[in-house]
Amino acid sequence: MATQCNPAVTVVIPTHRHTPMGLQGFRDQDISTTVMVLANGNVSGIDGDHVVQVDWAGHGATRMAAIEQIDTEYTLFSVDDATPVGEGAVRALVEALTEGCYDAVFGRQIPQDDADVITVERLAEWTPKGTNHYKMDRHDHVFALYKTSTLREFPLPNVAIAEDLHWSIGRRIGYVPNAAVIHSHKRRPMELYRRTKAIHSELKSIGREPQVPSLISLLGALPGVVKPTIRGGIIELPNQIAELIGQWRGGR
């Protein structure tokens, strides 16, 4: 039986593409961890882990499909392309959740070695370096811990994306910079457009003012893509334009 000295955590990882990259890292933590893979399709190489076949129903409902099957005190949400840094990453989240009296906590994201300069800069801003946990005005399910009882009482909303954003409203979220995963994505225009549009649509649904509210404001913002293009190279121009148009369309 798990104790406060050795708490038990179920790591929930949805996937529809491949075997999760961080499986061994989550298995090798210095506290008791069970990995539950929510598979929308065939995956391999995950012997010894709990695989649950699910139909993808958006980020919120798909993750909540795991909760009724979890019997550990803590639930950790991650993604299939994140790898924990060190054997104490999950423990650091557990300790911060308790010490800070948070409703949920999330950790730092360190980019892959081959990440482009824009991704490196944005992740450094989104999840900055540090040593002590503190209250944060955002949330991120790339590496996030809850008490399982909290999720049963207050489920994630049934939304396609940004379920972490929706859930965090009015709640105490802690950021734990010394608990980290390696995680970053290649920047591709169409993927950036779709994701940015979807996220900004959700931002509008919770009452946030659109960042690019009109076509005129979109045209006015175009010169601003030049600066990150200089840093990221000419290949970054389509990415910047895709994100800008996504913000505009999502805000509409």
Side-chain angles (χ1 to χ4, degrees), residues 17-91:
R17 294 176 296 183
H18 50 65
T19 301
M21 293 172 56
L23 281 181
Q24 196 58 48
F26 283 117
R27 293 169 178 157
D28 291 342
Q29 291 297 297
D30 64 4
I31 62 176
S32 176
T33 55
T34 300
V35 180
M36 179 182 294
V37 178
L38 304 180
N40 179 24
N42 294 323
V43 294
S44 60
I46 52 179
D47 294 341
D49 297 303
H50 187 185
V51 180
V52 179
Q53 291 292 331
V54 297
D55 293 326
W56 181 255
H59 286 274
T62 302
R63 284 182 168 85
M64 284 306 300
I67 299 305
E68 64 184 25
Q69 303 185 51
I70 292 176
D71 60 4
T72 56
E73 183 178 2
Y74 298 96
T75 296
L76 188 150
F77 291 132
S78 191
V79 292
D80 64 5
D81 53 355
T83 302
V85 178
E87 297 179 353
V90 175
R91 181 183 289 279

Side-chain angles (χ1 to χ4, degrees), residues 92-214:
L93 291 179
V94 172
E95 292 175 348
L97 184 70
T98 302
E99 292 171 2
C101 296
Y102 300 116
D103 297 311
V105 292
F106 72 101
R108 184 179 168 215
Q109 296 177 51
I110 299 173
Q112 302 278 358
D113 289 341
D114 61 351
D116 60 86
V117 64
I118 302 298
T119 297
V120 171
E121 291 177 356
R122 290 189 178 180
L123 281 181
E125 180 179 359
W126 181 255
T127 60
K129 293 180 180 180
T131 55
N132 298 320
H133 58 80
Y134 53 91
K135 188 175 181 293
M136 185 70 95
D137 61 356
R138 53 183 176 266
H139 195 24
D140 197 317
H141 276 167
V142 167
F143 191 41
L145 183 86
Y146 298 76
K147 278 198 169 184
T148 305
S149 58
T150 300
L151 287 168
R152 291 200 173 107
E153 185 175 0
F154 305 105
L156 301 178
N158 184 9
V159 293
I161 198 170
E163 76 294 345
D164 39 14
L165 165 68
H166 280 275
W167 194 90
S168 70
I169 297 172
R171 294 193 168 95
R172 183 176 171 83
I173 306 299
Y175 172 59
V176 190
N178 64 328
V181 290
I182 297 172
H183 173 261
S184 60
H185 293 154
K186 296 289 186 182
R187 289 172 57 78
R188 299 181 177 89
M190 286 308 299
E191 293 176 11
L192 288 168
Y193 167 74
R194 287 192 292 266
R195 181 173 176 81
T196 305
K197 177 185 174 184
I199 290 174
H200 281 262
S201 177
E202 295 298 333
L203 287 170
K204 183 178 180 182
S205 77
I206 63 173
R208 302 281 180 89
E209 290 294 325
Q211 293 186 14
V212 186
S214 66

